[in-house]
Amino acid sequence: MLRVDDVPLHVPAVTTTLSGNEAVLVLPALGQIKVLNEVGARVWQLVDGLRSVSDIVSVICDEYEVQRESAAADTLSFLTELQGKGLLLLKAGD
C-alpha cells in the first residue's frame, strides 16, 4: 500500500510529453497512452525519485491553495492509480 513517506519514481519505459497544462504519457510496451490534466501533470512532474509523497503534497498545497488533507487523499489516490497501471515504481522513504 502506498504511504506518504514512499518515494515514487517514473517507470523508465514511460515517455512523457507536455502539451500546455497537460501531460501525455506513452507506454510503448503496452501500446497505451494516458493524458493527465493540469494537476495530474504537475504531480507527475514532481515525481522525481527524490521527493516523498508528503513532499509532493506540500508543493500541491502551496501551488493550488488546497487543504492538506484533501490534497493528500487525492495525491495518494492518483499515485496509487498510476502505480496500478504500471507507470510508477516506489522505493521506501527514509
Side-chain angles (χ1 to χ4, degrees):
M1 174 175 235
L2 185 64
R3 301 169 313 193
V4 294
D5 61 339
D6 285 332
V7 178
L9 340 144
H10 298 157
V11 169
V14 176
T15 303
T16 305
T17 302
L18 298 177
S19 177
N21 290 332
E22 296 180 331
V24 179
L25 311 181
V26 180
L27 295 85
L30 300 175
Q32 295 180 351
I33 295 174
K34 180 154 179 72
V35 178
L36 305 179
N37 65 18
E38 178 183 351
V39 178
R42 184 62 180 132
V43 170
W44 182 258
Q45 289 174 321
L46 293 168
V47 170
D48 59 6
L50 300 173
R51 291 182 180 99
S52 68
V53 173
S54 181
D55 296 335
I56 293 168
V57 169
S58 293
V59 173
I60 295 300
C61 287
D62 290 344
E63 291 182 1
Y64 292 93
E65 298 180 10
V66 295
Q67 296 294 321
R68 184 163 185 86
E69 183 176 306
S70 176
D74 290 347
T75 302
L76 280 167
S77 175
F78 178 65
L79 292 175
T80 299
E81 178 186 342
L82 293 179
Q83 181 186 21
K85 292 181 186 259
L87 298 167
L88 288 180
L89 301 172
L90 297 176
K91 65 181 181 180
D94 295 334

